[in-house]
């Protein structure tokens, strides 16, 4: 098992550009989540999904879109990147009521 | 929504001493409390978790205690080693609900 795979590992964008952060898991986990991590602020939940076709907002959803068309994939879309979205993004997956498994993260810089 | 506060933000101990990190939560319906360790540039990794039907859980040098009445839980690391140096995060959620809220983290430094 590869676990949770995030791509790309690093990305630099210009303000206003769009991009999709990819997340895939091969553990057949029902739940998947996206977090951002900023210095001194821990991890903050952006969006999460409890199964294919179902998504919900977390603590800081503004500026981000998600979809869950398959169990394995949970992409995060930035429609118009802003400097405030510079952060490290982590994807996680888990079975219901079980601990989350995190990917290695995507380090995103927006100029 | 849930709010998790974590203290202290930094903690420095001598090798062999104990370290204690404390968290409080606001949502009385939260019933799942994991602790994660994150080394520099790495992913968070689960080190121990506790559910609300248990007051204490131990795993070798690591233990977690939960006080549901006071809505706080703590991580205890005994006989600390330099490799315990990392940032530790507590979190809280309702079981079956993936709306997990994290504390801001504690940077633990273990001096040899």
């Amino acid at each position: 098992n590869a676990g949770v795979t995030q791509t790309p590992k690093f990305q630099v964008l210009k303000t206003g550009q769009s991009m999709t952060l990819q997340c895939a898991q091969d553990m057949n986990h029902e739940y998947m989540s996206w977090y951002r991590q900023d210095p001194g602020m821990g991890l903050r939940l952006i969006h999460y999904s409890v199964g294919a076709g179902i998504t919900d907002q977390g603590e800081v959803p503004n500026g981000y879109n998600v979809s869950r068309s398959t169990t394995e994939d949970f992409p995060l879309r930035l429609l118009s990147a802003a400097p405030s979205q510079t952060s490290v993004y982590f994807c996680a997956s888990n079975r219901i009521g079980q601990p989350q498994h995190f990917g290695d993260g995507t380090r995103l810089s927006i100029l | 929504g849930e709010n998790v506060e974590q203290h202290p933000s930094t903690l420095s101990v001598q090798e062999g001493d104990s370290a204690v990190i404390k968290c409080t939560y606001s949502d009385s319906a939260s019933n799942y409390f994991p602790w994660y360790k994150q080394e520099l540039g790495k992913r968070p990794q689960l080190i121990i978790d506790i559910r609300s039907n248990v007051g204490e859980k131990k795993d070798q040098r690591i233990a977690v205690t939960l006080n549901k009445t006071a809505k706080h839980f703590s991580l205890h690391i005994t006989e600390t080693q330099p490799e315990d140096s990392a940032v530790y995060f507590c979190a809280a959620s309702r079981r079956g609900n993936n709306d997990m809220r994290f504390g801001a983290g504690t940077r633990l430094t273990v001096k040899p």
Side-chain angles (χ1 to χ4, degrees):
Chain A
N1 284 355
V4 179
T5 302
Q6 290 184 238
T7 56
K9 295 190 185 307
F10 304 93
Q11 184 70 49
V12 179
L13 292 178
K14 295 182 180 178
T15 296
Q17 287 186 316
S18 63
M19 86 158 292
T20 299
L21 307 187
Q22 301 291 345
C23 177
Q25 54 94 7
D26 60 0
M27 298 173 282
N28 203 31
H29 287 169
E30 302 92 346
Y31 285 9
M32 296 186 75
S33 306
W34 274 104
Y35 294 88
R36 61 178 289 174
Q37 185 174 33
D38 302 297
M41 298 190 74
L43 292 102
R44 291 185 292 168
L45 182 66
I46 304 171
H47 286 286
Y48 65 100
S49 170
V50 300
I54 306 170
T55 64
D56 208 345
Q57 296 183 349
E59 189 178 356
V60 288
N62 292 341
Y64 307 95
N65 282 350
V66 292
S67 60
R68 184 97 180 270
S69 56
T70 67
T71 300
E72 294 79 17
D73 300 299
F74 191 42
L76 178 72
R77 280 181 285 275
L78 286 73
L79 297 179
S80 179
S84 60
Q85 294 178 305
T86 293
S87 190
V88 180
Y89 290 85
F90 285 99
C91 179
S93 74
N94 60 292
R95 293 199 187 281
I96 297 172
Q98 296 300 312
Q100 294 180 315
H101 297 255
F102 284 85
D104 286 334
T106 294
R107 193 170 297 272
L108 182 63
S109 293
I110 299 164
L111 307 177
Chain B
E2 176 66 275
N3 182 45
V4 178
E5 295 193 355
Q6 182 172 347
H7 300 280
S9 56
T10 61
L11 179 60
S12 181
V13 300
Q14 287 294 135
E15 182 177 358
D17 287 350
S18 295
V20 180
I21 302 170
K22 299 181 179 181
C23 289
T24 60
Y25 60 98
S26 61
D27 186 353
S28 57
S30 289
N31 53 16
Y32 176 61
F33 308 93
W35 285 89
Y36 287 86
K37 175 183 180 182
Q38 187 179 30
E39 297 175 348
L40 189 62
K42 304 282 188 173
R43 70 178 77 178
Q45 295 204 309
L46 180 78
I47 55 172
I48 196 166
D49 59 3
I50 191 167
R51 303 188 190 277
S52 59
N53 58 344
V54 175
E56 181 175 359
K57 183 176 179 181
K58 291 184 73 172
D59 183 3
Q60 300 183 348
R61 296 185 298 109
I62 294 172
V64 57
T65 58
L66 171 65
N67 183 326
K68 287 187 294 183
T69 303
K71 289 190 281 187
H72 68 71
F73 56 113
S74 300
L75 177 71
H76 304 253
I77 306 175
T78 59
E79 301 172 25
T80 54
Q81 302 166 2
E83 50 266 38
D84 294 329
S85 295
V87 178
Y88 291 80
F89 294 98
C90 63
S93 76
R94 301 181 186 186
R95 186 173 183 177
N97 180 333
N98 239 41
D99 191 352
M100 183 81 69
R101 301 300 170 100
F102 283 75
T106 297
R107 182 175 300 279
L108 174 65
T109 303
V110 180
K111 301 177 184 176

